[in-house]
Amino acid sequence: MDAKNLGFDTINLGHGSGGTMTRDLLDKIIFKTFDNPYLNQKHDGSIVKFNSKIAISTDSFVISPIFFKGGNIGELAVNGTVNDVAMCGAIPKYLSLAFIVEEGLKIDEFIKIVNSIKSAADKSGVQIITGDTKVVERGKGDKIFINTTGFGEVHPKANISTNNIKAGDKIIVNGLVAQHGMAIMSQREGLEFESTIESDTTNVNFLVNDLLDEFGNEIHLFRDPTRGGLASVLSEISQDINKGITIYEDKIPLEKQVAAACEILGLDPLYVANEGLFISIVDAKVADDVVELMRKDTKGKNTACIGEITNEHPNKVVMHSIIGGKRIVSPLIGEQLPRIC
Amino acid sequence: MDAKNLGFDTINLGHGSGGTMTRDLLDKIIFKTFDNPYLNQKHDGSIVKFNSKIAISTDSFVISPIFFKGGNIGELAVNGTVNDVAMCGAIPKYLSLAFIVEEGLKIDEFIKIVNSIKSAADKSGVQIITGDTKVVERGKGDKIFINTTGFGEVHPKANISTNNIKAGDKIIVNGLVAQHGMAIMSQREGLEFESTIESDTTNVNFLVNDLLDEFGNEIHLFRDPTRGGLASVLSEISQDINKGITIYEDKIPLEKQVAAACEILGLDPLYVANEGLFISIVDAKVADDVVELMRKDTKGKNTACIGEITNEHPNKVVMHSIIGGKRIVSPLIGEQLPRIC
């Protein structure tokens, strides 16, 4: 799909009218790119069948800039929702896709985003089955916002719930923390490093599926620490389960340049947003095997066990720091990095 | 739910951070208002079970102004998606709800919208099961945009498809055309009439359900003529089925003041957006009974049979005008009324 011979260079208000310009945009770009029997009905909705319970998750993506190191808003919108569905212990199958475009967006940018949505959807094994396109006047939006809602079949062996978490359970992350947030921040602030910091946006659904196949209900929780970072998600979990969480700073996978960028900008990597990162809380007896399985996957090669659930200090996350002390890790209060996803 | 004692007057960037301010906003407003076991999991997604095929539809709502005669963006976002699911021949059950808020939105406006979402959801019999809240900087959005994605169980007797439409089928509408668009336009243009023109936003899912209960597969298609109006939807259908559509101007229910407003603004009511209006295309032998059943419902009291499918003039909609001539009704080309929904 490319921008040539479309007959228009930018998205304008007419493309959101519901008339022939809308149809033209859909026919030439959307239906052509995502071509599948669900979408080809060209109805306002789609009909699907599931063989089990369904996990549903929705997210709107408003990231700025829309093109960033390691990705763009299109693949982010697919990966983010695919991962949220996976975090429910489900196998993502379908996505809905809704655009809010600011008048004047260049068609070649729009197409780049659409192609990237298609490619991310293919990689995750999901189909775009229904959608919507709205256009707002210049100055009433910011290039493009994307909502995706995802639907997946709950894995037959999944039993994901904070209720299953008990003292002694291990907390495992699949990779480097703070990559996504620092990629965006470095770009916004014009920071240059020896090599570029790239967003970790990717789909983790197949890795999650493998974990469920292998360990079933020994996996007690999945959660992805996006906005608010690892600190906020762990704090929330600790409060939800009314137990303590202990983590070890020296176990948390953190890339050297990302650590440096955080220091320059005065940010704590524990609060920085991630995209391809997820936490698994698992029964201690399978923890080593979980780590081993995850490290074999390209999306888990930096997997580490970073801590555990404890009956001590309920509702609080305590970190043993590298220099030897302990500190309480509070959740993020205000805003650290606006529009990070 | 009201705005007192919340500790904040406006939505700011921190409410979109994923940290404690986000949690505070959700706890105090969203979870409190929509209180249900799905949402109360406070996870990134929800798990539901369906007993049949599922219809899924998504829409983003960007209407301006957000409060208008006859409704606001909140109920519009519920009714719009509920109706789209119903148009698939399904019984709407659940909605996801995603906000993109512009920094500075007054909390009392936000709460008014949230309350209106709750009330519309209750009236339609749907539950809000998962959601998302993003905040963008001042000038990068326009007060509030809302995405809803709806899920419904396909009615056991439904067999809705353009493939079922045949020559002779009757085209029935449930009410007055052009009400929604003209309510918004009159407000934007400051037009005053003897009585106010109000949006027809409402849920039609129960009426649709009654029709399916009673007439099953004699109902060949439902479609709601929102953006682009009756003209655009009928043109699309005519092209999709490769048959002609004949409509009769004198049969189309049009309120006098709305007709006058259209004339003042130089608009053709056939192209003006509707919200609570839907088209049924039905087998001719049940058409009178369909009209009779619909007229008994408050949401169908102005029901009229406005035309039929024909083998003549394939792919074209022809209207017999009141003054006696015939004219081809083309689909809307550009934009008539931006941000009407």
Side-chain angles (χ1 to χ4, degrees):
Chain A
M1 179 72 252
D2 68 51
K4 278 175 217 147
N5 308 319
L6 283 177
F8 44 92
D9 294 333
T10 59
I11 303 271
N12 66 47
L13 289 170
H15 290 116
S17 66
T20 52
M21 285 182 67
T22 306
R23 193 71 183 248
D24 204 36
L25 182 79
L26 296 180
D27 282 341
K28 289 183 176 163
I29 301 182
I30 303 295
F31 295 137
K32 203 169 158 184
T33 304
F34 297 111
D35 182 42
N36 69 52
Y38 302 102
L39 208 58
N40 294 348
Q41 296 166 17
K42 298 185 186 179
H43 199 303
D44 276 339
S46 261
I47 292 176
V48 296
K49 182 130 183 63
F50 285 91
N51 301 314
S52 70
K53 284 189 290 181
I54 306 164
I56 298 176
S57 184
T58 193
D59 252 326
S60 291
F61 295 82
V62 299
I63 194 167
S64 172
I66 56 175
F67 296 97
F68 50 83
K69 301 291 179 201
N72 68 51
I73 191 171
E75 63 199 276
L76 193 73
V78 173
N79 293 335
T81 294
V82 159
N83 292 346
D84 278 349
V85 169
M87 295 301 101
C88 299
I91 302 153
K93 291 277 186 189
Y94 307 110
L95 288 186
S96 67
L97 174 65
F99 297 109
I100 299 175
V101 182
E102 183 191 16
E103 176 189 18
L105 180 73
K106 292 201 168 43
I107 281 292
D108 57 1
E109 292 190 320
F110 183 66
I111 288 176
K112 212 180 280 180
I113 290 166
V114 168
N115 284 340
S116 159
I117 290 172
K118 168 67 173 159
S119 147
D122 287 348
K123 281 182 200 157
S124 310
V126 298
Q127 284 184 295
I128 308 294
I129 57 165
T130 189
D132 179 49
T133 306
K134 293 293 190 313
V135 183
V136 297
E137 307 92 323
R138 228 175 269 262
K140 300 296 185 185
D142 194 11
K143 293 190 172 172
I144 187 165
F145 302 146
I146 303 178
N147 176 281
T148 49
T149 304
F151 321 97
E153 290 184 352
V154 174
H155 189 286
K157 289 188 177 177
N159 184 12
I160 300 294
S161 167
T162 47
N163 296 330
N164 300 335
I165 299 175
K166 58 184 196 304
D169 282 1
K170 296 294 181 185
I171 300 166
I172 294 166
V173 297
N174 65 316
L176 300 163
V177 306
Q179 295 287 130
H180 176 73
M182 292 322 296
I184 306 300
M185 278 307 277
S186 309
Q187 196 168 339
R188 284 191 200 157
E189 302 289 328
L191 295 184
E192 298 275 351
F193 297 94
E194 223 168 285
S195 63
T196 314
I197 300 176
E198 292 204 343
S199 166
D200 64 340
T201 180
T202 193
N203 63 308
V204 297
N205 55 315
F206 295 115
L207 177 52
V208 163
N209 188 52
D210 289 348
L211 287 170
L212 290 168
D213 279 349
E214 189 67 26
F215 302 104
N217 61 12
E218 309 287 9
I219 311 270
H220 298 158
L221 197 75
F222 291 122
R223 196 63 67 91
D224 58 342
T226 50
R227 283 184 292 174
L230 203 55
S232 301
V233 164
L234 290 177
S235 296
E236 270 185 27
I237 295 171
S238 146
Q239 285 161 27
D240 286 347
I241 61 179
N242 196 25
K243 292 190 194 306
I245 288 180
T246 302
I247 55 174
Y248 304 92
E249 191 176 10
D250 62 342
K251 305 286 189 202
I252 298 170
L254 178 63
E255 204 254 334
K256 227 171 60 184
Q257 285 192 136
V258 170
C262 283
E263 222 166 279
I264 293 169
L265 297 171
L267 297 170
D268 182 336
L270 288 186
Y271 294 90
V272 175
N274 309 283
E275 281 296 330
L277 194 75
F278 69 100
I279 298 165
S280 309
I281 299 186
V282 308
D283 196 287
K285 69 175 182 283
V286 297
D288 289 345
D289 295 339
V290 167
V291 171
E292 198 189 320
L293 184 151
M294 288 175 74
R295 283 199 180 145
K296 284 183 192 150
D297 192 293
T298 51
K299 305 204 172 164
K301 59 180 189 289
N302 293 300
T303 294
C305 179
I306 63 166
E308 63 260 337
I309 308 296
T310 165
N311 284 324
E312 289 160 53
H313 52 81
N315 307 308
K316 288 197 171 49
V317 179
V318 170
M319 183 163 78
H320 292 244
S321 76
I322 290 172
I323 53 167
K326 287 184 195 180
R327 69 171 174 97
I328 290 176
V329 178
S330 329
L332 177 66
I333 293 180
E335 177 60 290
Q336 194 188 37
L337 307 170
R339 298 181 60 194
I340 205 70
C341 63
Chain B
M1 180 72 252
D2 68 48
K4 279 175 216 145
N5 309 319
L6 283 178
F8 43 90
D9 295 333
T10 58
I11 303 271
N12 66 47
L13 288 171
H15 289 116
S17 66
T20 54
M21 286 183 65
T22 305
R23 192 69 182 247
D24 205 36
L25 181 80
L26 296 180
D27 282 341
K28 289 183 175 163
I29 302 182
I30 303 295
F31 295 137
K32 204 169 157 184
T33 303
F34 297 111
D35 182 42
N36 69 51
Y38 302 102
L39 209 57
N40 294 348
Q41 297 166 17
K42 298 185 184 179
H43 199 304
D44 276 340
S46 264
I47 291 176
V48 297
K49 180 129 184 64
F50 285 90
N51 300 314
S52 69
K53 283 187 290 181
I54 306 164
I56 298 176
S57 184
T58 194
D59 251 327
S60 291
F61 295 83
V62 298
I63 193 167
S64 172
I66 56 174
F67 297 97
F68 50 82
K69 301 292 179 199
N72 67 52
I73 190 170
E75 64 198 278
L76 193 73
V78 173
N79 293 336
T81 295
V82 158
N83 292 346
D84 278 347
V85 170
M87 295 300 103
C88 299
I91 302 154
K93 290 279 186 189
Y94 307 110
L95 288 185
S96 66
L97 174 64
F99 296 109
I100 299 175
V101 182
E102 184 191 16
E103 175 189 21
L105 180 73
K106 292 201 167 45
I107 281 292
D108 57 1
E109 292 191 319
F110 183 66
I111 288 177
K112 211 179 280 181
I113 291 166
V114 169
N115 284 339
S116 160
I117 290 171
K118 168 67 174 158
S119 147
D122 288 348
K123 282 182 199 155
S124 311
V126 298
Q127 285 184 296
I128 308 293
I129 55 165
T130 191
D132 179 50
T133 305
K134 293 294 190 314
V135 182
V136 297
E137 307 91 325
R138 228 175 271 263
K140 300 297 185 184
D142 194 11
K143 294 191 169 167
I144 187 167
F145 301 145
I146 303 178
N147 177 282
T148 50
T149 304
F151 323 99
E153 288 183 355
V154 174
H155 189 288
K157 289 189 177 177
N159 184 11
I160 301 294
S161 168
T162 47
N163 296 330
N164 299 335
I165 299 175
K166 58 184 196 304
D169 283 0
K170 296 294 179 183
I171 300 166
I172 294 167
V173 296
N174 67 316
L176 299 163
V177 306
Q179 295 287 129
H180 176 73
M182 293 322 295
I184 307 299
M185 278 308 276
S186 309
Q187 196 168 337
R188 283 190 200 160
E189 302 290 329
L191 295 183
E192 298 276 352
F193 296 94
E194 225 168 283
S195 63
T196 314
I197 299 175
E198 292 203 343
S199 166
D200 63 341
T201 179
T202 194
N203 63 308
V204 298
N205 54 314
F206 296 115
L207 177 52
V208 163
N209 188 51
D210 290 349
L211 287 171
L212 290 168
D213 280 349
E214 189 67 27
F215 302 105
N217 62 12
E218 309 288 10
I219 311 270
H220 298 159
L221 197 75
F222 291 122
R223 195 64 66 93
D224 58 343
T226 51
R227 284 183 291 174
L230 203 55
S232 301
V233 164
L234 291 177
S235 297
E236 270 185 27
I237 295 171
S238 146
Q239 285 162 27
D240 285 347
I241 62 178
N242 197 23
K243 292 189 195 306
I245 288 180
T246 302
I247 55 174
Y248 303 93
E249 191 176 11
D250 63 341
K251 305 286 190 201
I252 298 170
L254 178 63
E255 205 253 334
K256 226 172 61 186
Q257 285 192 133
V258 171
C262 283
E263 222 166 281
I264 292 168
L265 297 171
L267 297 171
D268 182 336
L270 289 187
Y271 293 91
V272 175
N274 309 281
E275 281 297 330
L277 194 75
F278 69 99
I279 299 165
S280 310
I281 300 186
V282 308
D283 195 288
K285 68 176 183 283
V286 298
D288 290 345
D289 295 338
V290 167
V291 171
E292 200 189 319
L293 183 152
M294 289 176 74
R295 284 198 179 146
K296 285 183 190 151
D297 191 293
T298 51
K299 304 202 173 166
K301 59 180 190 289
N302 293 300
T303 294
C305 180
I306 63 165
E308 64 260 336
I309 307 296
T310 167
N311 283 324
E312 288 160 53
H313 51 80
N315 307 310
K316 288 197 171 48
V317 180
V318 170
M319 182 164 78
H320 291 243
S321 76
I322 290 172
I323 54 165
K326 287 184 195 180
R327 70 172 173 96
I328 289 175
V329 178
S330 329
L332 177 65
I333 294 180
E335 178 59 289
Q336 194 188 39
L337 309 169
R339 298 181 59 192
I340 206 70
C341 63

